[in-house]
Amino acid sequence: MEKNENNKAQNKQDRHRKTLTTRQGRPVTDNQNIRTIGNRGPATLENYHFIEKISHFNREEVPERIAHARGTGAFGYFETYGKVGNEPVEKYTRAKVFSGAGKKTPLMVRFSTVAGAKDSPETERDPRGFAVKMYTEDGNWDLVGNNLKIFFIRDAMKFPDMIHAFKPDPSSNVPHPQRMFDFVSRTPEATHMITFLFSPWGIPATYRHMQGSGVNTYKWVNDKGESVLVKYHWEPKEGIRNLTQEEASKIQAKNVGHATQDLYEAIDRGDYPEWELFVQIMEDDYHSELDFDPLDDTKLWPEDKFPWLPVGRLVLDQNPVDFHSEIEQAAFGTGVLVDGMDFSDDKMLQGRTFSYSDTQRYRVGSNYLQLPVNAPQTEVRTNQRRGQMDFRDPEQFEEDKHINYEPSMLGGYKEADEQLPPHRPTFNAAAMSAPIDRPNNYGQAGHTYRSFEDWEREELIKNLSEALAVCDEKVQNAMIEHFTQADEDYGRRVKKGIEAKMKELEGMETGNNIPGRESGQSKYGQSSLAANEATIDAVEKSRESDPY
C-alpha cells in the first residue's frame, strides 16, 4: 500500500512539473544524446526513445493539399437572425441552423490560397478559399467557397487540367503565366474570373478584409419539400481591402505569411473578425428570361433581380491551440449538407461533391471524420467501422456491438423515420456530354470591367500586360480577342499595354550575355518580368567570395 501511495505521489509530482515522456508515457531522462558504445562510438539498435522520436518526425506531416494547400483558420460561431430579409426563414428552408433568432452554432473557418504550395506567400495573385464548417444540431454543414463569387470553369471535367495549368511546369518546376493563359485562351468562360483575378480583387489585403462566397448554386428545401435555388455571400464587417501588385510585392519581401499573422493576432487581442451572411434566392427552374444559366458558376446573379437578403452573422473569437490537428487536418466537403439543404445541378458542384471528401480520405485517412475538428457534435451511429486509426470507444456500440450491418432482426441501428416530405426533383432528358446552351462567356466580364473604378482598371491592364508580355504571341492574341469580346476598350488597352511592355524589353541592355537579359524573357520564366529580372540579378548583383 505504501509503495502504491509513493507511486501516486511521484506521478502527481511528474505531472505538476510537466516531465517529458515517451509516447508510451515513460519519463525521458536524457533527450540530448543517443545511446552509443562509448561517448563517440556507433549507436545501438535499442535506441528506443530516439527511434520513436525520429520515426514520428519522418511521418509528422500529412500529404499537402493539391489545391488550397496554404491556409490558416480559427473558431467561432454563427448567429442566425431567424429570418431571410424580412420573411420567416422557414418559408424557404427547414434547416435548423437558420431557425430561432439569436441561436448560436459553433463553427470553424479555414482561409487559404488556391494554387500555391503549403508555404507559398499569402500575397500571391490567387483566389482565396473561404471554407466554413458548422457543427449544427443536425450534424455538420460545410460551406466550401472562395472570396471571389465566380470561378474559371463551369464543368468539373476541366478541373484537373485547370489546376495543372496553374501549377509550376512539371519539367522545370518553375511557374510561368503562359501555362495559365494557354489554358484560359481555350476556355472563354474564364474571361470573367481573369478580369477579377488580375484586378486588385486578386490580392485581398488580409483574410479579415475579404468577402466570401459559396460560388456554387445550392438549394433550400422547406417542410413541404419545395425548393428554391440559393447563393451564399459572406460580407466582412470591417470592410473590404485589396492590394495592388506593387503593394503586395513590398509586403511579400518582408513577410510571406502576413495574413496568417494578422488573423491570429487580431483574435488574440480581442478584435474578433465578423462577417454577415447574405443569400440570394431564385425560383428553381430554367429562367428563360435570363441571358445566362443560373447554375453556371462563372456568372453572378444580378442584385437588382435577386437581392442580397441577410440571414445571420459569423464571428471568429478563438485561435487554434494546435495548428496541425485543428487546421491542417480540417477536412471540408461540398456534399456535407443538413436537412433543409440540397444540391443543385451545377456541374461544378456535382464534381466537387465527390472530389473534396475523397481528397480527405487520401490525405488524412479513411477515418478522418473521427478527428475532433471534423467530428460532428451530435452522436454518430454508423456501420462504417474499422480502417486505419479507428479509435471509437467500443462502449458506444452497447448491445449492438455484434451487428455492423443493416437491416437486421437481431439488433443494430435502424433507418430514421422520414418525418417531412423529401425534395424530389424530376428529370426528362437524354444523358449526354454537352456544354450548356446559354454560355454568354463575355457579357458579365465586360460589365465587371466597366464597373471597376479607374484605378482598378489601370491596375488590371498593367497586371495583364506584364503577365502576357512573357507569353507566346499566339496566346497573347487569343487573350486580347477574349478581352475585346468582353469590351472593346478592354481588349484595346491590353493590346496596347503588351506592345508597350515589349518595346520596353527590346530596349533593355544585353548585360554579360546572360540568356534572357536581351529580351527580358526566359523560356522557363517566372510569373512576371520583374521575377525574371530578379533571377538574372541574383547572379549579376551578387558578390564573389573566396572559398574557405
Side-chain angles (χ1 to χ4, degrees):
M1 179 66 73
E2 183 178 348
K3 185 176 180 180
N4 289 339
E5 291 299 324
N6 289 338
N7 286 340
K8 290 180 181 179
Q10 182 62 45
N11 289 338
K12 184 176 181 180
Q13 183 180 4
D14 286 346
R15 286 195 300 270
H16 178 70
R17 293 172 54 195
K18 298 184 179 178
T19 301
L20 180 69
T21 72
T22 67
R23 297 179 71 203
Q24 285 78 18
R26 178 177 176 175
V28 175
T29 58
D30 189 344
N31 195 44
Q32 317 304 317
N33 306 289
I34 63 172
R35 194 176 193 188
T36 58
I37 306 302
N39 63 12
R40 59 189 300 271
T44 63
L45 184 61
E46 71 270 21
N47 259 288
Y48 187 76
H49 171 50
F50 167 71
I51 291 172
E52 281 283 286
K53 182 179 180 181
I54 197 67
S55 62
H56 183 273
F57 171 77
N58 294 341
R59 296 164 173 81
E60 67 185 22
E61 294 296 338
V62 298
E64 181 177 294
R65 290 170 170 88
I66 296 173
H68 298 278
R70 168 58 126 144
T72 191
F75 297 82
Y77 62 87
F78 173 75
E79 181 179 355
T80 180
Y81 298 156
K83 292 184 177 181
V84 54
N86 295 318
E87 297 182 291
V89 72
E90 291 82 5
K91 176 181 177 180
Y92 299 103
T93 178
R94 62 194 190 218
K96 296 176 184 175
V97 67
F98 295 118
S99 65
K103 181 172 63 180
K104 295 181 179 179
T105 299
L107 56 75
M108 69 89 58
V109 178
R110 185 176 183 270
F111 304 104
S112 59
T113 58
V114 172
K118 186 176 177 182
D119 292 315
S120 58
E122 290 181 309
T123 48
E124 286 193 346
R125 185 171 302 283
D126 201 7
R128 269 44 172 187
F130 195 123
V132 182
K133 181 183 296 293
M134 295 196 195
Y135 306 98
T136 85
E137 60 197 284
D138 278 343
N140 286 356
W141 170 38
D142 290 355
L143 180 56
V144 192
N146 290 332
N147 66 313
L148 299 175
K149 301 179 184 301
I150 55 174
F151 203 55
F152 299 93
I153 54 176
R154 61 170 71 98
D155 195 305
M157 181 68 81
K158 302 172 78 167
F159 187 77
D161 299 293
M162 186 201 82
I163 294 298
H164 287 169
F166 291 8
K167 292 282 190 177
D169 184 307
S171 176
S172 66
N173 199 39
V174 176
H176 195 297
Q178 180 166 283
R179 294 173 53 78
M180 178 187 71
F181 284 116
D182 186 28
F183 175 85
V184 168
S185 68
R186 302 299 300 274
T187 311
E189 68 265 31
T191 306
H192 195 191
M193 184 67 164
I194 289 294
T195 302
F196 270 110
L197 184 64
F198 279 81
S199 78
W201 291 84
I203 311 180
T206 76
Y207 295 131
R208 293 185 298 129
H209 295 92
M210 73 180 194
Q211 295 171 300
S213 171
V215 180
N216 295 112
T217 302
Y218 289 86
K219 288 183 181 181
W220 271 1
V221 181
N222 64 17
D223 59 7
K224 298 177 183 177
E226 301 166 337
S227 71
V228 291
L229 301 177
V230 63
K231 287 234 181 191
Y232 298 99
H233 305 281
W234 299 104
E235 197 73 6
K237 287 291 189 72
E238 297 182 59
I240 303 167
R241 305 185 73 88
N242 298 318
L243 295 170
T244 66
Q245 184 62 61
E246 182 179 2
E247 293 163 346
S249 297
K250 291 178 181 178
I251 293 169
Q252 180 176 323
K254 300 175 184 178
N255 189 343
V256 296
H258 80 284
T260 292
Q261 181 177 339
D262 173 82
L263 179 68
Y264 191 95
E265 292 182 351
I267 295 174
D268 194 52
R269 66 175 177 263
D271 185 11
Y272 301 140
E274 182 176 336
W275 289 260
E276 190 164 30
L277 178 61
F278 295 84
V279 295
Q280 288 178 287
I281 294 175
M282 184 186 296
E283 292 300 315
D284 185 8
D285 58 37
Y286 183 79
H287 286 278
S288 58
E289 78 280 5
L290 299 175
D291 63 2
F292 67 94
D293 190 322
L295 303 183
D296 181 355
D297 65 0
T298 70
K299 301 295 189 293
L300 297 168
W301 290 3
E303 290 184 51
D304 57 342
K305 294 184 176 67
F306 310 100
W308 285 26
L309 305 172
V311 294
R313 68 187 188 113
L314 179 158
V315 178
L316 295 179
D317 59 3
Q318 181 182 341
N319 277 317
V321 175
D322 183 276
F323 185 89
H324 180 79
S325 64
E326 295 179 289
I327 306 301
E328 186 61 25
Q329 293 193 115
F332 302 86
T334 55
V336 185
L337 306 179
V338 294
D339 184 49
M341 304 177 185
D342 213 323
F343 307 97
S344 78
D345 299 323
D346 178 337
K347 293 185 180 184
M348 276 300 296
L349 175 61
Q350 298 280 323
R352 293 176 77 200
T353 296
F354 168 76
S355 176
Y356 272 61
S357 294
D358 190 55
T359 294
Q360 307 309 331
R361 285 187 283 269
Y362 159 70
R363 288 187 64 247
V364 187
S366 59
N367 284 302
Y368 73 95
L369 290 172
Q370 292 187 38
L371 297 177
V373 69
N374 297 322
Q377 295 184 7
T378 54
E379 187 176 356
V380 174
R381 294 178 292 273
T382 178
N383 290 324
Q384 295 171 348
R385 306 178 191 174
R386 307 175 73 173
Q388 192 175 42
M389 301 300 289
D390 184 359
F391 60 90
R392 287 171 297 171
D393 183 355
E395 292 184 3
Q396 79 178 70
F397 302 116
E398 299 175 346
E399 72 275 7
D400 297 314
K401 62 185 177 182
H402 300 291
I403 310 296
N404 63 347
Y405 53 87
E406 190 281 326
S408 169
M409 297 178 64
L410 304 177
Y413 304 134
K414 64 178 183 178
E415 295 173 322
D417 295 329
E418 197 166 68
Q419 298 178 346
L420 294 172
H423 172 54
R424 289 177 173 161
T426 57
F427 303 93
N428 182 22
M432 65 182 69
S433 297
I436 61 174
D437 55 12
R438 285 179 291 172
N440 196 352
N441 294 322
Y442 304 111
Q444 290 197 6
H447 176 75
T448 294
Y449 171 78
R450 293 185 291 274
S451 299
F452 282 156
E453 296 181 23
D454 288 343
W455 74 274
E456 291 176 312
R457 273 193 296 272
E458 291 172 5
E459 181 73 6
L460 168 67
I461 300 302
K462 180 174 74 72
N463 293 332
L464 284 171
S465 300
E466 290 186 355
L468 284 164
V470 297
C471 296
D472 186 278
E473 185 178 2
K474 295 191 295 293
V475 174
Q476 292 176 347
N477 291 337
M479 291 308 304
I480 290 169
E481 177 60 24
H482 290 317
F483 300 140
T484 303
Q485 290 285 339
D487 185 279
E488 187 175 345
D489 179 67
Y490 189 2
R492 180 187 59 79
R493 291 180 66 179
V494 172
K495 184 175 187 294
K496 186 177 179 181
I498 294 173
E499 291 171 349
K501 185 57 63 176
M502 299 303 289
K503 286 183 180 179
E504 178 184 330
L505 297 176
E506 291 172 2
M508 292 177 67
E509 296 179 357
T510 301
N512 294 337
N513 297 318
I514 297 176
R517 170 59 103 181
E518 63 275 6
S519 65
Q521 300 186 55
S522 167
K523 182 178 180 182
Y524 311 106
Q526 250 278 358
S527 56
S528 68
L529 298 171
N532 289 346
E533 196 167 3
T535 304
I536 298 169
D537 287 346
V539 177
E540 286 191 344
K541 297 184 178 181
S542 58
R543 300 190 181 188
E544 190 172 351
S545 300
D546 294 328
Y548 65 89

